[in-house]
Amino acid sequence: VNGLVLYDRQTGEISLQQIDQFGNLRPVRSYPNQRKTWSAFLPIGSGGLLAYDRLGGFATLYSIETNGSLQEIRSYNDWRMTWDLLTTGPFTTGAMPSGDILTYDRGARQAAASTVNGVGEISQFASYNLWRTTWSSIQGNLFLVQGSTTSGTADLVLYDRSSSEVEFIDIGTGSTLNSLLLTRTPRGLDWTSVTAIG
């Protein structure tokens, strides 16, 4: 990761920033007068950005060029207005960065896994039911899990603030979910968030 996308909902500004060799953020390009209703942004592949507007059931896929040019690839008017959490992960490729996304609907107890290709076509490859309604955060990445009974590489880490539990899940062959480790967070405190590093 060598850059950040900053978003100001109050003004509708999107700013692309680059991280220089000294660790400073350097503005590359800004885009004022954008939507003020974006609720989530996801990196897609090595140069893409997916923006989701929950209130409108709307999403847009952008490409980001090295000069900071933000180009719309495709917009979608038929997204659920109930996705609570979204993340990208190495669900089909086993590598990051990835064009795979996972969306979670807390009220419906559902999650869906999809792949976004270079021209913005989204194809769902898995749907999951009976998920907890209490997941507070979900992040996709490659996690090496070394438990007392099992070890392996997980694609997802899910955090449940209400029960102080973290679960590492691998999306395996046939898109089946395999729980590699379910454990309580240290000291069992009500942590506000759990974020992956590395």
Side-chain angles (χ1 to χ4, degrees):
V1 176
N2 62 5
L4 296 175
V5 175
L6 307 180
Y7 172 59
D8 184 341
R9 181 174 285 124
Q10 294 294 95
T11 64
E13 180 180 0
I14 294 175
S15 177
L16 305 179
Q17 305 271 327
Q18 198 167 39
I19 304 171
D20 68 19
Q21 67 269 29
F22 305 108
N24 299 312
L25 287 179
R26 184 177 59 82
V28 177
R29 202 160 176 181
S30 288
Y31 294 88
N33 305 315
Q34 301 296 306
R35 274 181 187 255
K36 296 180 180 180
T37 52
W38 292 125
S39 48
F41 292 92
L42 293 177
I44 300 294
S46 59
L49 178 71
L50 182 71
Y52 169 58
D53 178 346
R54 180 178 175 167
L55 291 175
F58 182 81
T60 298
L61 178 65
Y62 298 96
S63 67
I64 302 175
E65 306 300 326
T66 54
N67 65 359
S69 174
L70 190 66
Q71 301 294 323
E72 182 178 324
I73 296 175
R74 191 165 182 171
S75 287
Y76 315 89
N77 296 313
D78 57 351
W79 275 46
R80 272 194 205 190
M81 295 165 47
T82 53
W83 293 126
D84 294 293
L85 301 172
L86 299 87
T87 188
T88 53
F91 313 134
T92 58
T93 62
M96 292 294 284
S98 174
D100 298 334
I101 60 175
L102 184 111
T103 48
Y104 163 66
D105 182 333
R106 188 174 284 121
R109 301 182 63 192
Q110 293 178 332
S114 306
T115 296
V116 183
N117 68 18
V119 294
E121 295 170 341
I122 298 178
S123 55
Q124 182 176 313
F125 63 86
S127 180
Y128 305 105
N129 295 310
L130 303 178
W131 274 39
R132 288 188 195 191
T133 61
T134 50
W135 291 123
S136 309
S137 68
I138 299 175
Q139 289 188 340
N141 213 318
L142 293 170
F143 303 98
L144 179 60
V145 179
Q146 295 178 323
S148 57
T149 57
T150 61
S151 63
T153 303
D155 300 316
L156 291 167
V157 60
L158 297 88
Y159 170 57
D160 183 338
R161 185 177 181 185
S162 65
S163 66
S164 298
E165 290 181 321
V166 175
E167 185 168 14
F168 291 87
I169 294 178
D170 175 57
I171 298 180
T173 306
S175 302
T176 57
L177 299 179
N178 303 308
S179 178
L180 299 183
L181 178 65
L182 175 64
T183 186
R184 295 195 43 89
T185 53
R187 302 192 310 269
L189 295 176
D190 183 16
W191 298 106
T192 303
S193 66
V194 172
T195 303
I197 58 173

